Amino acid sequence: MGVRAVRLVLLLLAGLVAGAVLALGYLAYAYTRGLPDLSQLDRLRLTATSTLYARDGSLLAQIASVEEGRAIHRSLVRLKEVSPAALAALVFSEDRRYYQHYGVDPVRLLGALYAILRGDLQGGSTITTQVIKNTLLKELAQARSLERKLKEWALALELERRYTKAEILEMYLNVVPWGGNAVGLKGAAEAYFGKDPAALSLAEGLYLASLVPAPNARYGDLKGVRARMRLLLDQMVAEGWVSREVAEAAWREPLVPRGWEARYDGEGNLLEARLVDPEARLLGEMEVSLAPHFVLEVRRFLEARFGREKVYGEGGLRVYTTLDPAMQRAAEAAARGARLPEGADLALVGLDPETGEVLALVGGVRREGDEYNRATRALRNPGSAVKPFVYATAFEEGWTQATLVPDRPLEFPDPSQKDGVWRPKNFSGTFLNREISVRYALDLSLNLPAVYTAQAIGVEKVARKLSQAGFAVRYPTLAIAIGGASITPVDLAAAYAAFANGGYRVTPLYVLRVEDARGQVLYQGVPERRPLFSPQAAYQAWDLLKGYVYDLGERGLAKGARIPGRVVGGKTGTTNEARDLWFAGVTRGLAAVVWVGRDDNQPLRMGGREPSSSVVNPPIWRAFVAEALRGRPTGDFPPPSGLVKARMDLLSGLASAQGVEAWFPQDRLPLAPAPPESVAPPPPTPASPGLEAPPVQPSPEPPTPPEETP
């Protein structure tokens, strides 16, 4: 070939190269002139899993965010929250020259250009370009196109100009998909190993790094991933990233991702591997480690407070709750060990009587995955558990525990009854046909004295007080004095707290604080206390509750609630046909309620008979409270000023050196008994205004206290 021909060939080649360069330049211009603004990264909203913590900081539950209609397992992580070993494994595997290049690795770029000339549009990827691909160019992430590559390279250069290497690496750790529904390193660490990124080993970091290019396919090939890990370890040793000793120790680690069963020899060789549960790595919409019904209540609170879009569309919330894990475990153990009537379920709740913080909550025990929270949703009649509120209202009107109240039959018009007359009765069907002290009336859980009390002080006043306490009162009728109102278990515990904290009804509190992913406080829980009774009235009612537990010794209806070394007060409640069984009690550090009943509100049966709350509920309550408060302070609540202690005869209410100790206003102490020579038969007690007391024959005093029911 002559010189002239060579020149023509060279000119032709130069023209072709120039044309190719111009063509590539034009394509680059065409594809990159409408690039996204990198300032969008500053405003980028990454959906993230919301995390719920117990009061001791332990993990309670996770609520997944939602992207494109599916639950996403992603929690934002900072570089300082990742183990150095796992970070080294990821950087080495994905972009080992990350700290030397400026967004585009020249070595990889040449390889990518060569691949493009061969028709393969893969290669050239760096950590920086992966950030671009999974954020600003997410709609092109799955496209193998020259357009995507050119846009990635152009944006990567600008990204490196605006952000530090550490900031870009942190972005990468939070946006890379890791298979299943795990996005970001924290989600991957939890999905595959149940760990926090700070606890990842070098071997676990290499495993996760090996998944990145094709996570779903590689998850199902543990043998292939192990081969990739071996190659990476040898390369890390060769390039001085780790020592041979560290590499071999990582190789010998018996790595078993979630969903796999695997067996290794002592040299790290995989002998056997079987994928037994491919779904094990997936995070459900809500993952709960403790107290499922409590978590459901917290989720309801979050949705109501922040809206579903914030909770699920953005997520990333850190929710610090009031739950005490030790108390919750005690509650769940007591619930599991409970002996319940046929077909019955239960609710158990314990809260701090000073603040209303819910420390433990069981919403049911019968069915796995049951989302019906009986502790907060079961609005039921409380039976005789309402009586302390009736008597506390009377104490505010000047009554005392020694005030006499009739235990006689009564009747009054009621169109809802069969014959137009309501005739309340005691559970036993008997009565003493005499006046007895308020304290003895509660000890025996008699219905008639409670009705007389409500009538005497004004049923409207009682209805108002019950409404303030949290009861749902439909009509101010005398039936509310013995259970004719409704309340949930958690609200009854909040109401009983008033007897221990000086007279305040507390609002149940589930959440102490909510932060967003950046640590900004979005909500700060504040205890709410509303005055319900005067301190003096509340303390006298607390004294009544103690009497109910201790006064009658082994004949007492609440003897099963006694806890050695603790001062306990409480009240049982049994409604008509034993549809609802209750025990509400208070001790230092805890107001707690146990409810037992059927979801269909049918009468309860136990061994073919109607069960009593005094038999079923106090043992459950005691099992919970004794364990929940183990090692915590004991002792009684101190009395307020203006009250003094005196002894009274339970039946007559008169002062008696041999009687029970009780607290009284200092100006209303029990009367001394009359001298023997002046004793005369007491005159008949007229019926209270508006009530008609029919003539009756007296019943003998019962040798043991009867059960209670409206």
Side-chain angles (χ1 to χ4, degrees):
M1 180 182 297
V3 174
R4 186 176 179 181
V6 171
R7 287 178 177 174
L8 287 173
V9 170
L10 291 175
L11 286 172
L12 180 61
L13 288 174
L16 289 173
V17 170
V21 170
L22 288 173
L24 286 173
Y26 174 77
L27 287 173
Y29 169 75
Y31 286 147
T32 59
R33 62 180 177 178
L35 288 176
D37 183 359
L38 256 69
S39 63
Q40 292 181 38
L41 286 175
D42 296 327
R43 304 188 300 272
L44 184 64
R45 190 189 73 175
L46 297 178
T47 63
T49 302
S50 293
T51 307
L52 278 57
Y53 300 96
R55 68 189 302 116
D56 64 353
S58 60
L59 178 66
L60 182 58
Q62 293 179 307
I63 301 175
S65 56
V66 177
E67 285 185 12
E68 298 172 357
R70 68 188 187 109
I72 295 297
H73 189 174
R74 169 170 48 205
S75 297
L76 303 185
V77 68
R78 305 297 181 194
L79 276 184
K80 63 182 180 181
E81 298 169 343
V82 181
S83 73
L87 199 58
L90 283 163
V91 173
F92 186 85
S93 174
E94 287 299 291
D95 189 0
R96 65 191 66 176
R97 286 176 293 278
Y98 174 66
Y99 291 102
Q100 283 76 52
H101 66 64
Y102 199 71
V104 178
D105 184 352
V107 176
R108 286 194 170 190
L109 178 59
L110 290 174
L113 290 173
Y114 176 70
I116 289 172
L117 292 175
R118 295 173 56 199
D120 185 357
L121 293 172
Q122 299 188 71
S125 177
T126 65
I127 283 175
T128 312
T129 58
Q130 288 191 63
V131 170
I132 297 297
K133 180 180 74 173
N134 288 287
T135 55
L136 302 180
L137 299 181
K138 196 171 183 180
E139 72 281 358
L140 298 176
Q142 303 305 316
R144 296 180 181 179
S145 66
L146 182 59
E147 177 188 1
R148 196 197 86 190
K149 285 295 180 184
L150 291 172
K151 286 184 175 181
E152 281 180 5
W153 295 336
L155 288 168
L157 294 172
E158 181 64 14
L159 187 64
E160 291 273 351
R161 189 182 71 81
R162 294 196 185 191
Y163 297 92
T164 66
K165 286 287 187 181
E167 289 172 332
I168 295 170
L169 183 56
E170 191 171 276
M171 292 180 197
Y172 169 81
L173 295 178
N174 287 306
V175 300
V176 171
W178 246 287
N181 62 356
V183 178
L185 181 62
K186 190 174 177 80
E190 292 169 346
Y192 291 99
F193 297 111
K195 286 186 173 183
D196 192 84
L200 289 173
S201 66
L202 176 59
E204 291 164 338
L206 285 168
Y207 174 86
L208 293 177
S210 299
L211 294 183
V212 171
N216 290 321
R218 293 189 178 187
Y219 171 66
D221 181 17
L222 183 56
K223 183 178 179 181
V225 172
R226 288 291 292 178
R228 168 70 176 165
M229 290 173 60
R230 178 73 268 179
L231 177 63
L232 287 172
L233 282 170
D234 291 340
Q235 291 175 345
M236 291 181 81
V237 172
E239 297 189 27
W241 283 61
V242 297
S243 67
R244 175 58 64 184
E245 292 76 17
V246 169
E248 292 309 313
W251 179 250
R252 289 192 297 271
E253 182 179 324
L255 194 78
V256 184
R258 273 184 173 170
W260 279 89
E261 289 180 355
R263 190 165 57 87
Y264 295 85
D265 64 16
E267 299 303 314
N269 297 307
L270 184 63
L271 301 178
E272 183 181 355
R274 187 162 64 97
L275 182 58
V276 294
D277 184 8
E279 304 294 311
R281 63 179 175 149
L282 300 179
L283 177 76
E285 290 187 6
M286 189 166 71
E287 296 287 327
V288 181
S289 59
L290 187 67
H293 288 100
F294 179 90
V295 170
L296 287 170
E297 197 62 26
V298 172
R299 185 178 71 176
R300 268 185 8 98
F301 165 81
L302 295 174
E303 291 176 357
R305 179 85 185 187
F306 302 109
R308 294 181 61 85
E309 174 60 25
K310 178 75 172 178
V311 176
Y312 303 108
E314 181 175 343
L317 302 176
R318 294 175 180 264
V319 184
Y320 299 90
T321 74
T322 61
L323 190 88
D324 185 305
M327 289 192 178
Q328 180 64 26
R329 285 189 285 271
E332 292 181 359
R336 285 193 305 270
R339 183 169 170 260
L340 301 178
E342 292 87 356
D345 212 317
L346 66 72
L348 190 161
V349 61
L351 54 78
D352 186 326
E354 294 294 330
T355 65
E357 294 175 11
V358 178
L359 304 171
L361 185 147
V362 176
V365 295
R366 285 297 190 194
R367 293 184 297 278
E368 190 74 24
D370 175 24
E371 293 198 359
Y372 178 49
N373 189 349
R374 293 155 191 84
T376 61
R377 295 286 166 266
L379 188 65
R380 309 295 278 262
N381 290 342
S384 291
V386 75
K387 291 174 184 173
F389 297 92
V390 177
Y391 292 126
T393 305
F395 294 153
E396 289 198 316
E397 297 300 308
W399 291 36
T400 73
Q401 296 185 72
T403 298
L404 297 181
V405 60
D407 180 32
R408 296 189 179 93
L410 60 91
E411 60 183 37
F412 67 93
D414 184 350
S416 68
Q417 300 297 316
K418 184 177 180 180
D419 57 357
V421 176
W422 182 53
R423 299 182 180 87
K425 61 181 181 179
N426 295 326
F427 182 84
S428 65
T430 64
F431 49 91
L432 301 179
N433 200 34
R434 59 164 295 169
E435 293 183 334
I436 59 174
S437 72
V438 162
R439 182 158 177 142
Y440 195 41
L442 190 76
D443 283 350
L444 297 178
S445 195
L446 298 175
N447 291 333
L448 297 174
V451 175
Y452 273 111
T453 300
Q455 173 69 12
I457 62 176
V459 68
E460 290 83 5
K461 192 171 296 181
V462 174
R464 232 177 1 257
K465 192 67 73 173
L466 291 182
S467 295
Q468 293 168 3
F471 292 83
V473 181
R474 295 182 63 187
Y475 307 107
T477 67
L478 288 173
I480 63 175
I482 51 176
S486 300
I487 198 167
T488 63
V490 70
D491 283 334
L492 188 60
Y496 263 71
F499 302 132
N501 65 20
Y504 294 91
R505 196 274 186 187
V506 296
T507 299
L509 183 64
Y510 301 89
V511 176
L512 295 172
R513 189 173 73 260
V514 179
E515 298 175 357
D516 65 14
R518 297 177 179 83
Q520 180 181 353
V521 176
L522 305 179
Y523 167 82
Q524 185 72 52
V526 178
E528 295 181 16
R529 291 158 47 109
R530 297 194 304 274
L532 183 61
F533 298 112
S534 69
Q536 292 74 23
Y539 198 84
Q540 290 175 82
W542 157 244
D543 205 34
L544 272 183
L545 295 174
K546 286 192 298 182
Y548 187 72
V549 174
Y550 298 105
D551 279 355
L552 301 183
E554 290 307 301
R555 300 176 353 182
L557 293 170
K559 62 182 180 182
R562 297 173 195 156
I563 300 173
R566 292 202 170 274
V567 181
V568 170
K571 183 70 186 72
T572 55
T574 305
T575 62
N576 284 331
E577 300 182 273
R579 295 174 189 271
D580 302 280
L581 308 179
W582 298 82
F583 184 77
V586 186
T587 189
R588 184 174 177 182
L590 206 59
V593 167
V594 176
W595 168 84
V596 173
R598 291 174 58 109
D599 291 344
D600 59 10
N601 202 29
Q602 291 300 303
L604 298 176
R605 292 295 179 269
M606 207 167 183
R609 303 177 57 186
E610 283 189 11
S612 163
S613 59
S614 63
V615 174
V616 175
N617 297 55
I620 305 171
W621 190 92
R622 179 189 62 217
F624 161 52
V625 174
E627 183 60 30
L629 294 177
R630 187 179 300 278
R632 306 198 188 201
T634 61
D636 203 347
F637 300 106
S641 60
L643 295 182
V644 295
K645 191 183 292 184
R647 288 189 176 272
M648 60 169 278
D649 178 72
L650 267 180
L651 184 63
S652 68
L654 297 173
S656 170
Q658 292 76 41
V660 298
E661 281 189 336
W663 288 90
F664 298 89
Q666 56 190 13
D667 58 347
R668 292 197 292 279
L669 296 177
L671 298 174
E677 62 273 15
S678 63
V679 172
T685 303
S688 299
L691 301 180
E692 181 181 346
V696 293
Q697 296 299 318
S699 300
E701 182 178 339
T704 57
E707 292 298 340
E708 72 284 358
T709 183

